Amino acid sequence: LEIAVRSGAKVINLSLGDPRFPYRGPRPTGLAAIVDQFARQHQVVVVISAGNYTPWNDQIDDLATNNYPKVLLEATDGGLLDPGPAALAVTVGALCPDDGQGAKPATDSVDVVPVGGPDKPSPLTRTGPGPMGMVKPELVAPGGSVSVDLLTSRVDYRDPSVKVVGAGVGGAA
């Protein structure tokens, strides 16, 4: 953060978090408090990812029937990843991509079913609330989805048709 400020940044993006420790409230976390203090002190905007949620392998039916938003909201391990609960940061969650955003395969398989759809929450996003019930994430943007292979009863995290095409590294959605 300090290097970014010294380089003249006014908006700083943080996409990090440990999925073993989702936010459970009710108080802010230490890291979130540090981000808030830094943003206030340096008068910068910090944008933070809500984090990725991926434990779907045992819940194929919830994905295939599009019951996953309810599961996301009720999951005890689906909270924001630290420092997402920071009060002064803008936390961003994910929507499923719009039709046509991903790379389409040469042939479609009737056994592979995309999860969600335009304007629906991504099954990969984490949810709020933040400290003291504050609304988190404040913003959402297309962030990819997953598909379900009905033949093998497995989640397909690599289906290019539900990804958001963009610059980046790794296998992020």
Side-chain angles (χ1 to χ4, degrees):
L1 292 172
E2 290 177 359
I3 291 170
V5 167
R6 282 197 303 266
S7 298
K10 296 294 182 192
V11 178
I12 302 169
N13 180 57
L14 291 178
S15 294
L16 54 92
D18 189 338
R20 297 174 301 169
F21 305 106
Y23 178 70
R24 291 195 172 98
R27 291 182 171 66
T29 63
L31 183 56
I34 290 169
V35 169
D36 285 339
Q37 180 182 358
F38 187 88
R40 186 180 301 112
Q41 180 181 359
H42 295 282
Q43 298 181 0
V44 295
V45 175
V46 180
V47 179
I48 301 175
S49 166
N52 286 342
Y53 183 73
T54 56
W56 288 108
N57 289 327
D58 296 334
Q59 297 168 306
I60 301 300
D61 289 340
D62 289 320
L63 290 172
T65 61
N66 281 322
N67 188 43
Y68 71 91
K70 181 179 181 209
V71 174
L72 279 173
L73 290 172
E74 294 174 353
T76 59
D77 63 343
L80 302 169
L81 294 186
D82 205 17
L88 299 181
V90 176
T91 305
V92 181
L95 292 174
C96 291
D98 294 335
D99 293 331
Q101 274 188 285
K104 298 299 179 198
T107 59
D108 289 328
S109 169
V110 295
D111 296 318
V112 178
V113 179
V115 175
D119 299 324
K120 293 192 175 172
S122 169
L124 301 171
T125 195
R126 288 182 170 271
T127 62
M132 296 175 283
M134 96 176 54
V135 174
K136 289 283 184 173
E138 295 91 346
L139 299 174
V140 291
S145 187
V146 296
S147 291
V148 175
D149 187 327
L150 299 174
L151 187 63
T152 62
S153 293
R154 293 188 179 197
V155 178
D156 184 353
Y157 291 99
R158 307 183 124 240
D159 180 358
S161 71
V162 294
K163 300 285 186 181
V164 174
V165 179
V169 296

